[in-house]
Structure formats: structure tokens, C-alpha cells
Amino acid sequence: MPAAYDGETVTRRGLFTGGAMAAGGIATAAFALPALGFAVGPILEDAAEENFQDVGPEADFNTNTYVSKVISLPESEGTGEAGKTTIYLRRTDEKRDTDELGQLYIAISTRCTHLGCPVRYVTASERFICPCHGGVYSFDGKVSGGPPVRPLDRFETKVDRGRVLVGDRFSLNSKLERKKPRDPSNHLDGLWQYLYPSRPTT
Ligand code: FES
């Protein structure tokens, strides 16, 4: 072997080159594997069983305004009052609601998508207002002002024997396309969505 002593099977240069390449491979994997896990993990998640809660008869709701209801968050089971949250519900207005979510009833989360403060629906202005940093959302929950990064989250809804049921939370991008639930401040448009994995348990 060139540049080797008698009996050597690996030169010093070869040993250092191989060692440097191995160290480079380990360093690259240390960055790449977690990123890959974040990107692919949510796709492979098992679909958790949905929990639906009765929030009242269909007669309680209309297309013109929201009605507030209190539900228990499935992820906070066993935490008593702390595990409850207020949501806003109304019936879908076919002329006004142009999204393609296909829900007969719209159940909107009160958790601001900026940093999570509770928003309030103001009937006179048909807006959801966040008191913390001035976030404003339109009648369908889209951002119309302030720092929130995406529309207000919603909950699955269905009707069973004249009663309205509310299920799991889901998030939306700016086109009101359904996405897996995300934390406040997580963007859901463009490449940003891949930086924020789904967090269904929060
Ligand atoms: S938490 Fe709502 S605007 Fe900041």
C-alpha cells in the first residue's frame, strides 16, 4: 500500500479521512433525523378516537350569531373546572360561509392563535376580539387584524337525533382548510406549516 509501513493495512491519512467522514455523518444525522421525525411523525399518527359532547338542541342555534357553550376538553380529563373551555357555536350560513369544511354547525374555539388568550365574540361588530394584544377575527374566525398567525381553531360537529354534538379540535390555514390541531403561534401557511408539528394533546 503506498505511504504505508510494512504490515499496515490502513494509512494514517486513510484513518483520519475515514474518521472525519464518520464524524460528519453523525453530526448531519443529529440534525436531520429529528427534523425528519417532526415532519413525518404527524402523518403516521394513529387517529385517536373522537369524543363528542352534547351542547344542546338544534333549536338553540341560528345562522346570524354565535351562542356560547362550555365543554370539557378531552385532553384535560380529570382536571375538573380547569379542563373546561368556552366555545362559540352557530349554524352554517350557506350564502355567507364559503369554506368547504362541510359542517352544518360551526364550533369556534376561544383560544387566540397568537398566544392563547381567550377571545370574546362581539355581536355588534360581528368580530372576535382578543384583549391581550388586539387580535381581531372576522365572523368566520379568519384573522382580520393584529398579531394572530392563523384563523381561530374549530371543533368537529355533528347532529344526532336533533342534538348538536361537538368533537375534537382542529386547526385551519388562512384559506379555512382543515389541518391537524396546532398550538397558538404555529403558522399553517406555506412552508411554515412543516416547522410546527401537530400537538393534539395540548
Ligand atoms: S394572545 Fe391574542 S392577540 Fe396576543
Side-chain angles (χ1 to χ4, degrees), residues 123-138:
T123 308
S125 62
E126 295 192 329
R127 294 275 189 279
F128 293 90
I129 308 291
C130 180
C132 291
H133 314 102
V136 181
Y137 303 85
S138 58

Side-chain angles (χ1 to χ4, degrees), residues 64-68 88-90 106 108 121 128 139-141:
N64 298 326
T65 192
Y66 284 92
V67 174
S68 64
Y88 286 108
L89 283 114
R90 69 175 168 88
I106 293 176
I108 290 200
Y121 180 66
F128 293 90
F139 187 62
D140 56 5

Side-chain angles (χ1 to χ4, degrees), residues 111-119 129-137 145-148:
R111 185 167 69 161
C112 182
T113 58
H114 178 221
L115 295 177
C117 286
V119 302
I129 308 291
C130 180
C132 291
H133 314 102
V136 181
Y137 303 85

Side-chain angles (χ1 to χ4, degrees), residues 28-74:
T28 304
F31 282 100
L33 290 181
L36 194 65
F38 274 129
V40 176
I43 298 169
L44 303 177
E45 273 172 13
D46 285 340
E49 194 181 326
E50 286 194 273
N51 303 285
F52 279 93
Q53 299 171 54
D54 189 326
V55 289
E58 286 192 272
D60 277 4
F61 309 102
N62 62 69
T63 57
N64 298 326
T65 192
Y66 284 92
V67 174
S68 64
K69 296 280 179 181
V70 175
I71 62 165
S72 300
L73 294 169

Side-chain angles (χ1 to χ4, degrees), residues 64-165:
N64 298 326
T65 192
Y66 284 92
V67 174
S68 64
K69 296 280 179 181
V70 175
I71 62 165
S72 300
L73 294 169
E75 58 267 30
S76 307
E77 202 174 327
T79 56
E81 290 300 307
K84 294 189 173 172
T85 187
T86 300
I87 61 171
Y88 286 108
L89 283 114
R90 69 175 168 88
R91 193 180 166 102
T92 299
D93 182 341
E94 284 174 16
K95 291 193 190 123
R96 199 170 185 183
D97 297 305
T98 53
D99 64 68
E100 298 187 354
L101 297 167
Q103 292 190 299
L104 189 54
Y105 287 89
I106 293 176
I108 290 200
S109 165
T110 53
R111 185 167 69 161
C112 182
T113 58
H114 178 221
L115 295 177
C117 286
V119 302
R120 187 169 62 89
Y121 180 66
V122 180
T123 308
S125 62
E126 295 192 329
R127 294 275 189 279
F128 293 90
I129 308 291
C130 180
C132 291
H133 314 102
V136 181
Y137 303 85
S138 58
F139 187 62
D140 56 5
K142 281 184 183 166
V143 178
S144 57
V149 297
R150 62 170 203 267
L152 289 167
D153 289 347
R154 295 189 186 187
F155 293 84
E156 304 288 354
T157 58
K158 67 179 182 183
V159 178
D160 185 17
R161 283 167 285 184
R163 309 284 302 182
V164 179
L165 308 181

